[in-house]
Amino acid sequence: MKKISCIIIDDEKNSAKMLQSLLAHFCPHVEVLALIHKPADAVEWLTNHDDPHVVFLDIEMPGMNGFQLLDAIPRITSNVIFTTAYEQFAIRAFKTKAISYLLKPIDGIELQAAVEKAEKQIGTNVSARIERIEAALH
């Protein structure tokens, strides 16, 4: 199974660590590159590093919410999985860049399904890039 890289952005340190533990147990092929607790630090990280395959993103955070964070980084190519305690943001999340929406406390089986969805999307993105490169070469 191919390694999947991710970062976890959540102002609640315990929630971030819990998600990291769930990933280790239910999705051991997912590598957590960073746990980030401040939205401004997340913008800096995403600006200065290659995009991870997946960004687990909390919505309600002080100073900048998850939607504002995504707006601050328009070039992000990562698959976004929102993790939040609030179900009322689901429609808005899917209208942005979300491929999944997990309610806290996060269920391990739902987490697996979200990661599988991301994996399919990653495969699709790679295939599309290869096709564009081949077309450009011809």
Side-chain angles (χ1 to χ4, degrees):
M1 193 172 286
K2 185 180 182 262
K3 279 278 188 195
I4 303 292
S5 63
C6 80
I7 62 170
I8 298 171
I9 304 168
D10 194 325
D11 64 305
E12 298 174 14
K13 291 179 181 177
N14 288 342
S15 290
K17 288 182 188 285
M18 178 59 72
L19 178 53
Q20 185 177 28
S21 295
L22 287 168
L23 285 166
H25 181 75
F26 289 95
C27 309
H29 62 292
V30 175
E31 176 186 12
V32 178
L33 302 177
L35 293 176
I36 304 171
H37 306 297
K38 295 180 183 172
D41 292 346
V43 170
E44 183 179 334
W45 195 98
L46 287 164
T47 301
N48 294 313
H49 293 83
D50 290 336
D51 290 345
H53 293 112
V54 178
V55 172
F56 289 95
L57 180 58
D58 188 20
I59 294 177
E60 284 291 309
M61 297 182 287
M64 179 187 305
N65 69 34
F67 300 115
Q68 292 166 328
L69 191 149
L70 289 177
D71 288 343
I73 309 169
R75 63 145 194 87
I76 190 168
T77 59
S78 303
N79 293 287
V80 177
I81 298 175
F82 281 104
T83 58
T84 184
Y86 305 97
E87 59 186 39
Q88 70 263 29
F89 297 117
I91 292 171
R92 183 172 177 198
F94 285 112
K95 286 182 177 180
T96 61
K97 301 175 183 185
I99 63 158
S100 194
Y101 191 91
L102 299 173
L103 286 175
K104 296 175 184 176
I106 295 171
D107 176 79
I109 302 303
E110 290 178 10
L111 177 61
Q112 279 181 318
V115 169
E116 287 172 11
K117 190 173 180 182
E119 288 174 308
K120 288 177 186 167
Q121 188 66 33
I122 292 164
T124 301
N125 291 347
V126 170
S127 297
R129 285 185 196 142
I130 291 170
E131 288 175 14
R132 284 195 298 270
I133 291 169
E134 287 177 343
L137 291 174
H138 295 308

